[in-house]
Amino acid sequence: MDIKKLIPVLLVIILISCSVVLAEKFYDNTAYDWYFMPSKDNQPARTEPHYEKMLNDHGGYFIGNSDEKELYLTFDNGYENGYTTQILDVLKEKQVPAAFFVTGHYLETQAELIDRMVKEGHIVGNHSWHHPSLVEVDDATLKEELDSVKAKFTEMTGVEEMKYLRPPRGIFSERTLALSNELGYTNVFWSFAYMDWDVNNQKGAQYAYDNIMKRVHPGAIMLLHSISKDNAEALGRVIDELKSQGYVFKTLDDLVK
């Protein structure tokens, strides 16, 4: 057989093989802003079917089992406004677990609170170092954003595991879901939230209580911001009322099981 005639054939086979391997690593980077569609009468929230498919394909969550009265309490922490201590006090008193998603700024400025979260059994998750849109950074920068948080957290606490990611700003793409999942993270979005992050527009504990009770539902992954005075003041009452309605607060580890 003429080897020279085989060379073009072999090159085509090699190119096809390489393209298949490379295709597995290339994902669509269309940016999406996470949102959910709340339902009435405390029924489970919904989201776009293609959002849900992307989460299912890449091991992410936005809601738990909506057939069970289980709740997952999560807080996003970028900046401290003096209310996390109060929130931790309430969680300790009520024996409720939570997950706190933290940025690099929070790690650098709130070491005592991070230490307390760990010691009191809460999950500390990754919210990136600089809080960028992960869709807009390249793969190496995305990895560095997440690795930096995990490395600093381990240095501070001795805890080597950091398993959960809340994408900054709620912006994501199939690429960011896939790459972060390959790095060992479970993306955690939410099926409950309200406008609680504006520190200049706090309206009181009753406002927070009413908004939470209106939208809470079985299986809810609840997003709250501990920067909110309203949340801190309403949290104890919220927990007591939800428990009286038969809700049980679970951890994200329970969710992914």
Side-chain angles (χ1 to χ4, degrees):
M1 183 177 294
D2 189 343
I3 298 297
K4 290 183 179 180
K5 291 182 179 180
L6 278 177
I7 290 176
V9 177
L10 292 172
L11 287 174
V12 170
I13 293 173
I14 291 170
L15 287 172
I16 292 173
S17 299
C18 288
S19 66
V20 169
V21 172
L22 288 172
E24 294 175 355
K25 294 297 180 182
F26 283 111
Y27 299 97
D28 181 55
N29 199 41
T30 301
Y32 300 100
D33 288 306
W34 176 259
Y35 77 95
F36 64 93
M37 295 169 277
S39 300
K40 296 181 179 179
D41 302 320
N42 301 105
Q43 293 301 301
R46 296 169 293 115
T47 190
E48 295 289 349
H50 62 289
Y51 287 13
E52 195 161 3
K53 182 180 186 305
M54 281 190 282
L55 290 182
N56 290 337
D57 287 346
H58 301 290
Y61 293 86
F62 84 99
I63 194 170
N65 183 355
S66 58
D67 293 326
E68 300 291 339
K69 298 190 82 170
E70 299 172 346
L71 299 172
Y72 305 89
L73 190 57
T74 72
F75 293 88
D76 281 3
N77 292 67
Y79 293 87
E80 179 56 33
N81 200 27
Y83 300 112
T84 304
T85 294
Q86 184 178 344
I87 286 169
L88 287 170
D89 289 344
V90 171
L91 295 175
K92 184 176 182 179
E93 177 191 350
K94 306 297 183 183
Q95 298 185 327
V96 167
F100 293 86
F101 290 92
V102 301
T103 63
H105 178 273
Y106 200 88
L107 286 168
E108 288 189 317
T109 60
Q110 304 299 330
E112 290 184 5
L113 289 175
I114 295 293
D115 187 58
R116 183 176 173 187
M117 291 170 189
V118 172
K119 287 181 177 178
E120 295 182 1
H122 302 296
I123 288 171
V124 177
N126 205 320
H127 202 35
S128 81
W129 189 267
H130 296 101
H131 203 260
S133 164
L134 297 181
V135 174
E136 297 178 11
V137 302
D138 61 28
D139 289 4
T141 303
L142 185 152
K143 184 176 185 302
E144 178 62 22
E145 282 286 331
L146 305 188
D147 286 352
S148 296
V149 170
K150 184 176 180 180
K152 183 65 175 179
F153 173 68
T154 299
E155 175 191 323
M156 294 169 62
T157 65
V159 178
E160 296 185 358
E161 190 172 61
M162 181 171 270
K163 300 185 292 184
Y164 302 104
L165 168 66
R166 173 148 291 152
R169 313 179 195 179
I171 299 174
F172 69 101
S173 68
E174 184 180 19
R175 167 186 158 265
T176 65
L177 293 176
L179 182 56
S180 56
N181 188 231
E182 289 170 6
L183 293 171
Y185 288 95
T186 297
N187 282 268
V188 181
F189 291 85
W190 56 91
S191 62
F192 164 90
Y194 78 103
M195 292 184 66
D196 63 345
W197 58 86
D198 186 351
V199 297
N200 297 314
N201 194 33
Q202 298 294 289
K203 299 180 179 179
Q206 187 64 44
Y207 175 80
Y209 177 86
D210 290 342
N211 274 277
I212 293 171
M213 299 308 299
K214 179 172 64 177
R215 288 191 174 184
V216 73
H217 59 82
I221 297 178
M222 302 173 66
L223 165 59
L224 296 173
H225 290 81
S226 60
I227 201 171
S228 164
K229 180 176 184 288
D230 293 354
N231 285 338
E233 293 180 350
L235 185 59
R237 182 182 171 200
V238 166
I239 290 172
D240 288 343
E241 177 59 27
L242 290 173
K243 283 184 174 181
S244 76
Q245 293 183 17
Y247 281 98
V248 177
F249 290 87
K250 298 279 192 173
T251 73
L252 294 182
D253 287 341
D254 296 319
L255 174 68
V256 302
K257 287 179 183 177

